[in-house]
Amino acid sequence: MTNPTVAVLGLGTMGAAMARNIAAAGMDVRVWNRSPERAEPLADVATVAGSVREAVTGADVVLTMLYDERATAETMGDARGAFAADAVWLQQATVGIDGADRLGALAEELGLVHVDAPVLGTKKPAEDGALVVLASGPEDAEERLAPVLEAIGSRTMWVGEAGAGQRLKLAANAWVFTVLEGVAESLALTRDLGLDPHLFLEAVQGGALDAPYVQLKGNAMLDGAFDPSFALAGALKDADLILAAAEAAGSDLAILPGVRRHLARAVDAGHGDKDMAATYLPH
């Protein structure tokens, strides 16, 4: 498939950027969002559909980037009977292991080829078309999806049968949250010990203990720059998916329960719509 027609369902921070990059690569794009005002800014590059059924009719690829499994299942269910016979469902939200299994069963009901392909990266990589795609599904879908995945990502890993992508995404997010909380705690400890917390970032900068993410999130915490690249409420949702998967697998995670507690504390304090760096804020 050299020039597929793509329906993008869900136009939050990630979905809108992905739709724009797919259109920029020369593909015909239809967009839909439950809140129509989210779709209007894309009218210059895509066809804004008035309903989810209108968006998916005749589409070769249906890309979903919705908040969670429930929103994804409801949206796809609303389009039942409108999908093209050979359409591929490119499911890119983080929905967890059980969620991926249930959506896979729904895909079979709807007669769709199911590809589970969550992504690594937040707002800026999505805008730059530099996401890392963790794709999983049937081998014959790889070539069909290549133009779409090349438009949204810098790299695609095919990691096995549908659902394997979710497993790898949860492991990767566990690391992201570990780094996030580690930076927040080191900055807080530096502050509480009576020092300027900027000294911590300066001490590790450029050495073996440093990483771009350490400086990025650390400076955001200290500058109060909480415009959401990855909202706290979404991070808490994903932390719950990680812990559920770990419990089912028999993994003994020492750090993530504490990270989850701090994320929940920040959400309860009213910071759920801020970037997850806001976990640093005093509570």
Side-chain angles (χ1 to χ4, degrees):
M1 186 184 298
T2 57
N3 194 29
T5 298
V6 184
V8 180
L9 312 180
L11 301 171
T13 299
M14 302 292 286
M18 294 160 82
R20 194 167 287 279
N21 284 327
I22 294 166
M27 284 166 269
D28 178 24
V29 179
R30 296 94 167 272
V31 295
W32 174 88
N33 196 73
R34 195 178 299 274
S35 303
E37 63 272 14
R38 287 284 188 94
E40 290 305 326
L42 290 161
D44 60 329
V45 298
T47 300
V48 177
S51 69
V52 65
R53 294 180 66 85
E54 181 185 338
V56 307
T57 299
D60 303 302
V61 177
V62 178
L63 187 162
T64 52
M65 194 57 166
L66 295 142
Y67 181 70
D68 58 10
E69 176 203 347
R70 179 178 177 180
T72 303
E74 287 178 355
T75 297
M76 293 297 282
D78 287 345
R80 187 183 297 270
F83 300 103
D86 59 347
V88 178
W89 178 7
L90 180 60
Q91 200 303 105
Q92 302 210 268
T94 303
V95 298
I97 295 171
D98 292 342
D101 288 344
R102 287 189 287 267
L103 293 180
L106 177 59
E108 189 171 352
E109 274 183 44
L110 298 174
L112 299 170
V113 177
H114 179 227
V115 174
D116 167 53
V119 299
L120 301 182
T122 53
K123 181 179 180 181
K124 185 65 163 60
E127 292 172 345
D128 293 344
L131 297 166
V132 175
V133 182
L134 308 178
S136 55
E139 289 185 6
D140 60 5
E142 293 186 29
E143 185 176 351
R144 298 178 67 189
L145 289 176
V148 178
L149 299 181
E150 288 170 7
I152 66 174
S154 61
R155 184 160 57 101
T156 297
M157 296 175 60
W158 285 90
V159 297
E161 296 182 357
Q166 292 294 325
R167 288 165 166 79
L168 187 54
K169 175 64 186 290
L170 296 181
N173 270 9
W175 173 239
V176 170
F177 297 156
T178 297
V179 176
L180 176 79
E181 183 66 17
V183 172
E185 291 192 7
S186 289
L187 290 175
L189 182 60
T190 305
R191 178 195 66 210
D192 295 344
L193 292 175
L195 298 173
D196 179 349
H198 288 89
L199 291 172
F200 164 73
L201 295 180
E202 184 179 344
V204 301
Q205 189 171 22
L209 300 178
D210 199 11
Y213 200 72
V214 170
Q215 298 295 329
L216 177 69
K217 287 301 181 187
N219 281 298
M221 292 172 188
L222 296 180
D223 294 343
F226 300 129
D227 185 43
S229 291
F230 188 179
L232 261 169
L236 178 59
K237 181 262 294 184
D238 286 4
D240 284 336
L241 293 175
I242 294 166
L243 291 172
E247 181 178 5
S251 293
D252 180 15
L253 301 186
I255 297 172
L256 263 294
V259 174
R260 193 265 176 206
R261 187 169 63 251
H262 277 202
L263 293 173
R265 181 183 67 179
V267 170
D268 290 344
H271 303 309
D273 60 346
K274 296 183 174 69
D275 188 78
M276 63 181 179
T279 190
Y280 172 71
L281 292 172
H283 302 288

mmCIF file of all heavy atoms in Angstrom, residues 126-177:
data_model
loop_
_atom_site.group_PDB
_atom_site.id
_atom_site.type_symbol
_atom_site.label_atom_id
_atom_site.label_comp_id
_atom_site.label_asym_id
_atom_site.label_seq_id
_atom_site.Cartn_x
_atom_site.Cartn_y
_atom_site.Cartn_z
ATOM 1 N N ALA A 126 6.334 13.796 18.907
ATOM 2 C CA ALA A 126 5.157 13.593 18.062
ATOM 3 C C ALA A 126 5.085 14.677 16.996
ATOM 4 O O ALA A 126 4.811 14.399 15.819
ATOM 5 C CB ALA A 126 3.889 13.602 18.914
ATOM 6 N N GLU A 127 5.331 15.925 17.379
ATOM 7 C CA GLU A 127 5.305 17.025 16.423
ATOM 8 C C GLU A 127 6.396 16.874 15.367
ATOM 9 O O GLU A 127 6.202 17.230 14.203
ATOM 10 C CB GLU A 127 5.447 18.356 17.155
ATOM 11 C CG GLU A 127 4.247 18.710 18.017
ATOM 12 C CD GLU A 127 4.455 19.925 18.883
ATOM 13 O OE1 GLU A 127 5.628 20.357 19.059
ATOM 14 O OE2 GLU A 127 3.467 20.461 19.409
ATOM 15 N N ASP A 128 7.545 16.349 15.787
ATOM 16 C CA ASP A 128 8.685 16.213 14.875
ATOM 17 C C ASP A 128 8.648 14.930 14.046
ATOM 18 O O ASP A 128 9.548 14.695 13.234
ATOM 19 C CB ASP A 128 9.994 16.244 15.671
ATOM 20 C CG ASP A 128 10.261 17.591 16.319
ATOM 21 O OD1 ASP A 128 9.609 18.582 15.927
ATOM 22 O OD2 ASP A 128 11.116 17.655 17.223
ATOM 23 N N GLY A 129 7.652 14.092 14.256
ATOM 24 C CA GLY A 129 7.610 12.798 13.570
ATOM 25 C C GLY A 129 8.746 11.896 13.999
ATOM 26 O O GLY A 129 9.267 11.110 13.201
ATOM 27 N N ALA A 130 9.111 11.990 15.288
ATOM 28 C CA ALA A 130 10.293 11.281 15.790
ATOM 29 C C ALA A 130 9.949 10.289 16.897
ATOM 30 O O ALA A 130 10.805 9.964 17.724
ATOM 31 C CB ALA A 130 11.324 12.285 16.287
ATOM 32 N N LEU A 131 8.719 9.809 16.924
ATOM 33 C CA LEU A 131 8.338 8.815 17.915
ATOM 34 C C LEU A 131 9.025 7.476 17.627
ATOM 35 O O LEU A 131 9.419 7.207 16.496
ATOM 36 C CB LEU A 131 6.823 8.621 17.896
ATOM 37 C CG LEU A 131 5.998 9.857 18.271
ATOM 38 C CD1 LEU A 131 4.541 9.650 17.878
ATOM 39 C CD2 LEU A 131 6.122 10.162 19.758
ATOM 40 N N VAL A 132 9.167 6.660 18.660
ATOM 41 C CA VAL A 132 9.589 5.275 18.482
ATOM 42 C C VAL A 132 8.331 4.422 18.604
ATOM 43 O O VAL A 132 7.623 4.475 19.613
ATOM 44 C CB VAL A 132 10.634 4.855 19.534
ATOM 45 C CG1 VAL A 132 10.958 3.362 19.397
ATOM 46 C CG2 VAL A 132 11.893 5.693 19.397
ATOM 47 N N VAL A 133 8.030 3.660 17.565
ATOM 48 C CA VAL A 133 6.800 2.870 17.509
ATOM 49 C C VAL A 133 7.112 1.434 17.905
ATOM 50 O O VAL A 133 8.019 0.805 17.340
ATOM 51 C CB VAL A 133 6.186 2.909 16.102
ATOM 52 C CG1 VAL A 133 4.875 2.122 16.081
ATOM 53 C CG2 VAL A 133 5.946 4.344 15.642
ATOM 54 N N LEU A 134 6.356 0.920 18.880
ATOM 55 C CA LEU A 134 6.526 -0.453 19.350
ATOM 56 C C LEU A 134 5.376 -1.282 18.763
ATOM 57 O O LEU A 134 4.340 -1.470 19.394
ATOM 58 C CB LEU A 134 6.508 -0.497 20.880
ATOM 59 C CG LEU A 134 7.485 0.469 21.576
ATOM 60 C CD1 LEU A 134 7.346 0.367 23.091
ATOM 61 C CD2 LEU A 134 8.925 0.211 21.136
ATOM 62 N N ALA A 135 5.568 -1.725 17.534
ATOM 63 C CA ALA A 135 4.487 -2.359 16.784
ATOM 64 C C ALA A 135 4.452 -3.863 17.017
ATOM 65 O O ALA A 135 5.485 -4.517 17.130
ATOM 66 C CB ALA A 135 4.660 -2.074 15.292
ATOM 67 N N SER A 136 3.235 -4.392 17.042
ATOM 68 C CA SER A 136 3.060 -5.839 17.174
ATOM 69 C C SER A 136 1.782 -6.241 16.455
ATOM 70 O O SER A 136 0.753 -5.582 16.568
ATOM 71 C CB SER A 136 3.006 -6.254 18.648
ATOM 72 O OG SER A 136 2.006 -5.545 19.367
ATOM 73 N N GLY A 137 1.888 -7.311 15.696
ATOM 74 C CA GLY A 137 0.743 -7.765 14.912
ATOM 75 C C GLY A 137 1.200 -8.651 13.777
ATOM 76 O O GLY A 137 2.374 -9.044 13.702
ATOM 77 N N PRO A 138 0.302 -8.975 12.859
ATOM 78 C CA PRO A 138 0.639 -9.910 11.774
ATOM 79 C C PRO A 138 1.693 -9.332 10.836
ATOM 80 O O PRO A 138 1.711 -8.138 10.551
ATOM 81 C CB PRO A 138 -0.699 -10.099 11.049
ATOM 82 C CG PRO A 138 -1.529 -8.923 11.432
ATOM 83 C CD PRO A 138 -1.096 -8.531 12.809
ATOM 84 N N GLU A 139 2.574 -10.205 10.364
ATOM 85 C CA GLU A 139 3.686 -9.777 9.508
ATOM 86 C C GLU A 139 3.207 -9.099 8.233
ATOM 87 O O GLU A 139 3.834 -8.163 7.746
ATOM 88 C CB GLU A 139 4.572 -10.982 9.153
ATOM 89 C CG GLU A 139 5.383 -11.504 10.316
ATOM 90 C CD GLU A 139 6.330 -12.619 9.901
ATOM 91 O OE1 GLU A 139 6.423 -12.892 8.679
ATOM 92 O OE2 GLU A 139 6.964 -13.216 10.783
ATOM 93 N N ASP A 140 2.078 -9.530 7.700
ATOM 94 C CA ASP A 140 1.632 -8.957 6.431
ATOM 95 C C ASP A 140 1.100 -7.536 6.581
ATOM 96 O O ASP A 140 0.801 -6.868 5.595
ATOM 97 C CB ASP A 140 0.594 -9.858 5.755
ATOM 98 C CG ASP A 140 -0.653 -10.087 6.601
ATOM 99 O OD1 ASP A 140 -0.775 -9.478 7.683
ATOM 100 O OD2 ASP A 140 -1.516 -10.877 6.177
ATOM 101 N N ALA A 141 0.987 -7.055 7.817
ATOM 102 C CA ALA A 141 0.565 -5.667 8.033
ATOM 103 C C ALA A 141 1.747 -4.698 7.964
ATOM 104 O O ALA A 141 1.543 -3.488 7.819
ATOM 105 C CB ALA A 141 -0.133 -5.526 9.381
ATOM 106 N N GLU A 142 2.969 -5.207 8.083
ATOM 107 C CA GLU A 142 4.140 -4.321 8.157
ATOM 108 C C GLU A 142 4.267 -3.451 6.911
ATOM 109 O O GLU A 142 4.439 -2.232 7.004
ATOM 110 C CB GLU A 142 5.418 -5.155 8.364
ATOM 111 C CG GLU A 142 5.481 -5.861 9.704
ATOM 112 C CD GLU A 142 6.811 -6.544 9.935
ATOM 113 O OE1 GLU A 142 7.833 -6.056 9.398
ATOM 114 O OE2 GLU A 142 6.844 -7.568 10.656
ATOM 115 N N GLU A 143 4.204 -4.076 5.749
ATOM 116 C CA GLU A 143 4.362 -3.315 4.506
ATOM 117 C C GLU A 143 3.207 -2.339 4.317
ATOM 118 O O GLU A 143 3.414 -1.201 3.874
ATOM 119 C CB GLU A 143 4.444 -4.267 3.312
ATOM 120 C CG GLU A 143 4.721 -3.551 1.997
ATOM 121 C CD GLU A 143 4.891 -4.525 0.840
ATOM 122 O OE1 GLU A 143 4.959 -5.738 1.087
ATOM 123 O OE2 GLU A 143 4.963 -4.047 -0.315
ATOM 124 N N ARG A 144 2.010 -2.751 4.667
ATOM 125 C CA ARG A 144 0.845 -1.885 4.499
ATOM 126 C C ARG A 144 0.934 -0.643 5.371
ATOM 127 O O ARG A 144 0.471 0.433 4.983
ATOM 128 C CB ARG A 144 -0.432 -2.667 4.829
ATOM 129 C CG ARG A 144 -0.684 -3.860 3.928
ATOM 130 C CD ARG A 144 -1.932 -4.600 4.340
ATOM 131 N NE ARG A 144 -3.125 -3.790 4.119
ATOM 132 C CZ ARG A 144 -4.333 -4.125 4.561
ATOM 133 N NH1 ARG A 144 -4.501 -5.239 5.255
ATOM 134 N NH2 ARG A 144 -5.363 -3.348 4.311
ATOM 135 N N LEU A 145 1.520 -0.784 6.550
ATOM 136 C CA LEU A 145 1.584 0.334 7.484
ATOM 137 C C LEU A 145 2.855 1.161 7.360
ATOM 138 O O LEU A 145 2.955 2.222 7.993
ATOM 139 C CB LEU A 145 1.474 -0.194 8.921
ATOM 140 C CG LEU A 145 0.109 -0.728 9.337
ATOM 141 C CD1 LEU A 145 0.180 -1.296 10.747
ATOM 142 C CD2 LEU A 145 -0.948 0.365 9.271
ATOM 143 N N ALA A 146 3.804 0.707 6.561
ATOM 144 C CA ALA A 146 5.107 1.377 6.491
ATOM 145 C C ALA A 146 4.999 2.880 6.222
ATOM 146 O O ALA A 146 5.660 3.676 6.910
ATOM 147 C CB ALA A 146 5.996 0.696 5.456
ATOM 148 N N PRO A 147 4.194 3.352 5.262
ATOM 149 C CA PRO A 147 4.142 4.802 5.021
ATOM 150 C C PRO A 147 3.642 5.584 6.235
ATOM 151 O O PRO A 147 4.139 6.679 6.518
ATOM 152 C CB PRO A 147 3.172 4.929 3.841
ATOM 153 C CG PRO A 147 3.138 3.593 3.194
ATOM 154 C CD PRO A 147 3.350 2.611 4.298
ATOM 155 N N VAL A 148 2.670 5.022 6.936
ATOM 156 C CA VAL A 148 2.113 5.700 8.107
ATOM 157 C C VAL A 148 3.143 5.748 9.235
ATOM 158 O O VAL A 148 3.381 6.803 9.850
ATOM 159 C CB VAL A 148 0.830 4.988 8.586
ATOM 160 C CG1 VAL A 148 0.272 5.671 9.831
ATOM 161 C CG2 VAL A 148 -0.205 4.952 7.476
ATOM 162 N N LEU A 149 3.778 4.625 9.506
ATOM 163 C CA LEU A 149 4.730 4.562 10.604
ATOM 164 C C LEU A 149 5.979 5.395 10.321
ATOM 165 O O LEU A 149 6.554 5.995 11.232
ATOM 166 C CB LEU A 149 5.098 3.105 10.898
ATOM 167 C CG LEU A 149 3.912 2.218 11.320
ATOM 168 C CD1 LEU A 149 4.379 0.801 11.615
ATOM 169 C CD2 LEU A 149 3.181 2.796 12.519
ATOM 170 N N GLU A 150 6.378 5.458 9.064
ATOM 171 C CA GLU A 150 7.518 6.306 8.706
ATOM 172 C C GLU A 150 7.191 7.785 8.888
ATOM 173 O O GLU A 150 8.062 8.588 9.199
ATOM 174 C CB GLU A 150 7.935 6.028 7.256
ATOM 175 C CG GLU A 150 8.629 4.686 7.076
ATOM 176 C CD GLU A 150 8.828 4.322 5.613
ATOM 177 O OE1 GLU A 150 8.548 5.177 4.741
ATOM 178 O OE2 GLU A 150 9.252 3.180 5.340
ATOM 179 N N ALA A 151 5.920 8.138 8.713
ATOM 180 C CA ALA A 151 5.509 9.539 8.856
ATOM 181 C C ALA A 151 5.480 9.982 10.311
ATOM 182 O O ALA A 151 5.766 11.142 10.609
ATOM 183 C CB ALA A 151 4.133 9.748 8.224
ATOM 184 N N ILE A 152 5.155 9.076 11.224
ATOM 185 C CA ILE A 152 4.993 9.495 12.622
ATOM 186 C C ILE A 152 6.218 9.215 13.482
ATOM 187 O O ILE A 152 6.347 9.799 14.557
ATOM 188 C CB ILE A 152 3.764 8.823 13.271
ATOM 189 C CG1 ILE A 152 3.953 7.303 13.392
ATOM 190 C CG2 ILE A 152 2.500 9.161 12.493
ATOM 191 C CD1 ILE A 152 2.840 6.620 14.154
ATOM 192 N N GLY A 153 7.122 8.344 12.994
ATOM 193 C CA GLY A 153 8.218 7.937 13.864
ATOM 194 C C GLY A 153 9.580 7.993 13.215
ATOM 195 O O GLY A 153 9.710 8.002 11.990
ATOM 196 N N SER A 154 10.583 8.030 14.053
ATOM 197 C CA SER A 154 11.961 7.932 13.578
ATOM 198 C C SER A 154 12.400 6.479 13.486
ATOM 199 O O SER A 154 13.366 6.158 12.788
ATOM 200 C CB SER A 154 12.893 8.675 14.533
ATOM 201 O OG SER A 154 12.839 8.107 15.835
ATOM 202 N N ARG A 155 11.669 5.605 14.192
ATOM 203 C CA ARG A 155 12.059 4.193 14.239
ATOM 204 C C ARG A 155 10.839 3.359 14.600
ATOM 205 O O ARG A 155 10.046 3.756 15.450
ATOM 206 C CB ARG A 155 13.158 4.013 15.290
ATOM 207 C CG ARG A 155 13.751 2.627 15.395
ATOM 208 C CD ARG A 155 15.112 2.673 16.080
ATOM 209 N NE ARG A 155 15.073 3.269 17.402
ATOM 210 C CZ ARG A 155 15.082 2.567 18.553
ATOM 211 N NH1 ARG A 155 15.135 1.243 18.504
ATOM 212 N NH2 ARG A 155 15.061 3.190 19.713
ATOM 213 N N THR A 156 10.709 2.216 13.951
ATOM 214 C CA THR A 156 9.657 1.266 14.295
ATOM 215 C C THR A 156 10.288 -0.062 14.651
ATOM 216 O O THR A 156 11.111 -0.589 13.899
ATOM 217 C CB THR A 156 8.672 1.059 13.127
ATOM 218 O OG1 THR A 156 8.003 2.297 12.844
ATOM 219 C CG2 THR A 156 7.632 0.008 13.472
ATOM 220 N N MET A 157 9.905 -0.598 15.802
ATOM 221 C CA MET A 157 10.311 -1.938 16.213
ATOM 222 C C MET A 157 9.093 -2.849 16.098
ATOM 223 O O MET A 157 8.047 -2.561 16.669
ATOM 224 C CB MET A 157 10.801 -1.926 17.665
ATOM 225 C CG MET A 157 12.041 -1.114 17.924
ATOM 226 S SD MET A 157 12.448 -1.043 19.707
ATOM 227 C CE MET A 157 12.676 -2.795 20.093
ATOM 228 N N TRP A 158 9.231 -3.935 15.348
ATOM 229 C CA TRP A 158 8.189 -4.961 15.322
ATOM 230 C C TRP A 158 8.585 -6.025 16.326
ATOM 231 O O TRP A 158 9.640 -6.654 16.196
ATOM 232 C CB TRP A 158 8.037 -5.530 13.923
ATOM 233 C CG TRP A 158 7.319 -4.584 13.008
ATOM 234 C CD1 TRP A 158 7.864 -3.616 12.226
ATOM 235 C CD2 TRP A 158 5.905 -4.488 12.821
ATOM 236 N NE1 TRP A 158 6.891 -2.916 11.558
ATOM 237 C CE2 TRP A 158 5.666 -3.441 11.893
ATOM 238 C CE3 TRP A 158 4.798 -5.188 13.337
ATOM 239 C CZ2 TRP A 158 4.384 -3.073 11.494
ATOM 240 C CZ3 TRP A 158 3.524 -4.830 12.930
ATOM 241 C CH2 TRP A 158 3.314 -3.791 12.013
ATOM 242 N N VAL A 159 7.762 -6.225 17.355
ATOM 243 C CA VAL A 159 8.207 -6.993 18.523
ATOM 244 C C VAL A 159 7.415 -8.273 18.767
ATOM 245 O O VAL A 159 7.614 -8.914 19.797
ATOM 246 C CB VAL A 159 8.183 -6.099 19.787
ATOM 247 C CG1 VAL A 159 9.171 -4.957 19.632
ATOM 248 C CG2 VAL A 159 6.791 -5.558 20.082
ATOM 249 N N GLY A 160 6.552 -8.660 17.814
ATOM 250 C CA GLY A 160 5.867 -9.935 17.993
ATOM 251 C C GLY A 160 4.389 -9.839 17.679
ATOM 252 O O GLY A 160 3.933 -8.970 16.939
ATOM 253 N N GLU A 161 3.635 -10.758 18.265
ATOM 254 C CA GLU A 161 2.195 -10.797 18.046
ATOM 255 C C GLU A 161 1.525 -9.618 18.732
ATOM 256 O O GLU A 161 2.066 -9.041 19.686
ATOM 257 C CB GLU A 161 1.613 -12.111 18.579
ATOM 258 C CG GLU A 161 2.124 -13.342 17.843
ATOM 259 C CD GLU A 161 1.498 -14.621 18.373
ATOM 260 O OE1 GLU A 161 0.710 -14.534 19.342
ATOM 261 O OE2 GLU A 161 1.803 -15.695 17.815
ATOM 262 N N ALA A 162 0.330 -9.259 18.257
ATOM 263 C CA ALA A 162 -0.405 -8.133 18.822
ATOM 264 C C ALA A 162 -0.507 -8.268 20.346
ATOM 265 O O ALA A 162 -0.871 -9.327 20.861
ATOM 266 C CB ALA A 162 -1.797 -8.050 18.202
ATOM 267 N N GLY A 163 -0.172 -7.185 21.037
ATOM 268 C CA GLY A 163 -0.135 -7.184 22.497
ATOM 269 C C GLY A 163 1.278 -7.096 23.028
ATOM 270 O O GLY A 163 1.497 -6.614 24.149
ATOM 271 N N ALA A 164 2.260 -7.551 22.237
ATOM 272 C CA ALA A 164 3.656 -7.451 22.668
ATOM 273 C C ALA A 164 4.090 -5.987 22.765
ATOM 274 O O ALA A 164 4.915 -5.631 23.617
ATOM 275 C CB ALA A 164 4.559 -8.213 21.704
ATOM 276 N N GLY A 165 3.543 -5.149 21.905
ATOM 277 C CA GLY A 165 3.871 -3.732 21.961
ATOM 278 C C GLY A 165 3.484 -3.117 23.289
ATOM 279 O O GLY A 165 4.241 -2.318 23.869
ATOM 280 N N GLN A 166 2.304 -3.488 23.807
ATOM 281 C CA GLN A 166 1.880 -2.971 25.110
ATOM 282 C C GLN A 166 2.825 -3.425 26.217
ATOM 283 O O GLN A 166 3.152 -2.650 27.126
ATOM 284 C CB GLN A 166 0.460 -3.444 25.430
ATOM 285 C CG GLN A 166 -0.614 -2.844 24.554
ATOM 286 C CD GLN A 166 -0.801 -1.349 24.743
ATOM 287 O OE1 GLN A 166 -0.669 -0.817 25.843
ATOM 288 N NE2 GLN A 166 -1.108 -0.656 23.658
ATOM 289 N N ARG A 167 3.275 -4.670 26.140
ATOM 290 C CA ARG A 167 4.166 -5.189 27.177
ATOM 291 C C ARG A 167 5.468 -4.386 27.224
ATOM 292 O O ARG A 167 5.950 -3.995 28.299
ATOM 293 C CB ARG A 167 4.452 -6.671 26.926
ATOM 294 C CG ARG A 167 3.256 -7.562 27.216
ATOM 295 C CD ARG A 167 3.412 -8.958 26.626
ATOM 296 N NE ARG A 167 2.437 -9.892 27.168
ATOM 297 C CZ ARG A 167 1.164 -9.962 26.772
ATOM 298 N NH1 ARG A 167 0.717 -9.153 25.821
ATOM 299 N NH2 ARG A 167 0.337 -10.839 27.322
ATOM 300 N N LEU A 168 6.040 -4.118 26.048
ATOM 301 C CA LEU A 168 7.285 -3.358 26.005
ATOM 302 C C LEU A 168 7.050 -1.909 26.420
ATOM 303 O O LEU A 168 7.889 -1.305 27.101
ATOM 304 C CB LEU A 168 7.889 -3.432 24.607
ATOM 305 C CG LEU A 168 9.275 -2.826 24.422
ATOM 306 C CD1 LEU A 168 10.285 -3.413 25.420
ATOM 307 C CD2 LEU A 168 9.756 -3.041 22.994
ATOM 308 N N LYS A 169 5.900 -1.348 26.049
ATOM 309 C CA LYS A 169 5.597 0.035 26.428
ATOM 310 C C LYS A 169 5.489 0.168 27.942
ATOM 311 O O LYS A 169 5.959 1.149 28.525
ATOM 312 C CB LYS A 169 4.284 0.485 25.762
ATOM 313 C CG LYS A 169 3.814 1.873 26.182
ATOM 314 C CD LYS A 169 4.783 2.974 25.770
ATOM 315 C CE LYS A 169 4.375 4.341 26.312
ATOM 316 N NZ LYS A 169 3.172 4.889 25.685
ATOM 317 N N LEU A 170 4.883 -0.788 28.607
ATOM 318 C CA LEU A 170 4.767 -0.723 30.061
ATOM 319 C C LEU A 170 6.142 -0.783 30.722
ATOM 320 O O LEU A 170 6.415 -0.056 31.678
ATOM 321 C CB LEU A 170 3.871 -1.850 30.579
ATOM 322 C CG LEU A 170 2.405 -1.807 30.139
ATOM 323 C CD1 LEU A 170 1.642 -2.973 30.750
ATOM 324 C CD2 LEU A 170 1.739 -0.489 30.508
ATOM 325 N N ALA A 171 7.009 -1.644 30.199
ATOM 326 C CA ALA A 171 8.366 -1.723 30.755
ATOM 327 C C ALA A 171 9.112 -0.413 30.539
ATOM 328 O O ALA A 171 9.828 0.062 31.434
ATOM 329 C CB ALA A 171 9.115 -2.883 30.106
ATOM 330 N N ALA A 172 8.958 0.190 29.362
ATOM 331 C CA ALA A 172 9.623 1.463 29.080
ATOM 332 C C ALA A 172 9.068 2.577 29.960
ATOM 333 O O ALA A 172 9.825 3.415 30.486
ATOM 334 C CB ALA A 172 9.466 1.820 27.604
ATOM 335 N N ASN A 173 7.747 2.610 30.150
ATOM 336 C CA ASN A 173 7.165 3.641 30.996
ATOM 337 C C ASN A 173 7.567 3.471 32.458
ATOM 338 O O ASN A 173 7.690 4.454 33.191
ATOM 339 C CB ASN A 173 5.639 3.647 30.868
ATOM 340 C CG ASN A 173 5.167 4.564 29.762
ATOM 341 O OD1 ASN A 173 5.965 5.081 28.978
ATOM 342 N ND2 ASN A 173 3.865 4.777 29.676
ATOM 343 N N ALA A 174 7.783 2.229 32.882
ATOM 344 C CA ALA A 174 8.272 2.016 34.243
ATOM 345 C C ALA A 174 9.621 2.715 34.433
ATOM 346 O O ALA A 174 9.885 3.316 35.480
ATOM 347 C CB ALA A 174 8.390 0.517 34.531
ATOM 348 N N TRP A 175 10.468 2.660 33.411
ATOM 349 C CA TRP A 175 11.761 3.346 33.473
ATOM 350 C C TRP A 175 11.576 4.863 33.444
ATOM 351 O O TRP A 175 12.212 5.593 34.209
ATOM 352 C CB TRP A 175 12.646 2.890 32.331
ATOM 353 C CG TRP A 175 13.936 3.640 32.202
ATOM 354 C CD1 TRP A 175 14.380 4.355 31.133
ATOM 355 C CD2 TRP A 175 14.973 3.740 33.191
ATOM 356 N NE1 TRP A 175 15.614 4.903 31.390
ATOM 357 C CE2 TRP A 175 16.000 4.542 32.642
ATOM 358 C CE3 TRP A 175 15.125 3.238 34.485
ATOM 359 C CZ2 TRP A 175 17.159 4.854 33.350
ATOM 360 C CZ3 TRP A 175 16.285 3.544 35.184
ATOM 361 C CH2 TRP A 175 17.282 4.340 34.616
ATOM 362 N N VAL A 176 10.696 5.359 32.585
ATOM 363 C CA VAL A 176 10.426 6.798 32.525
ATOM 364 C C VAL A 176 9.987 7.311 33.894
ATOM 365 O O VAL A 176 10.485 8.337 34.381
ATOM 366 C CB VAL A 176 9.342 7.099 31.472
ATOM 367 C CG1 VAL A 176 8.866 8.553 31.570
ATOM 368 C CG2 VAL A 176 9.868 6.829 30.067
ATOM 369 N N PHE A 177 9.059 6.603 34.524
ATOM 370 C CA PHE A 177 8.549 7.060 35.820
ATOM 371 C C PHE A 177 9.613 6.946 36.914
ATOM 372 O O PHE A 177 9.646 7.756 37.846
ATOM 373 C CB PHE A 177 7.305 6.263 36.212
ATOM 374 C CG PHE A 177 6.144 6.434 35.271
ATOM 375 C CD1 PHE A 177 5.156 5.463 35.177
ATOM 376 C CD2 PHE A 177 6.029 7.551 34.468
ATOM 377 C CE1 PHE A 177 4.085 5.610 34.312
ATOM 378 C CE2 PHE A 177 4.963 7.714 33.591
ATOM 379 C CZ PHE A 177 3.989 6.743 33.513
#
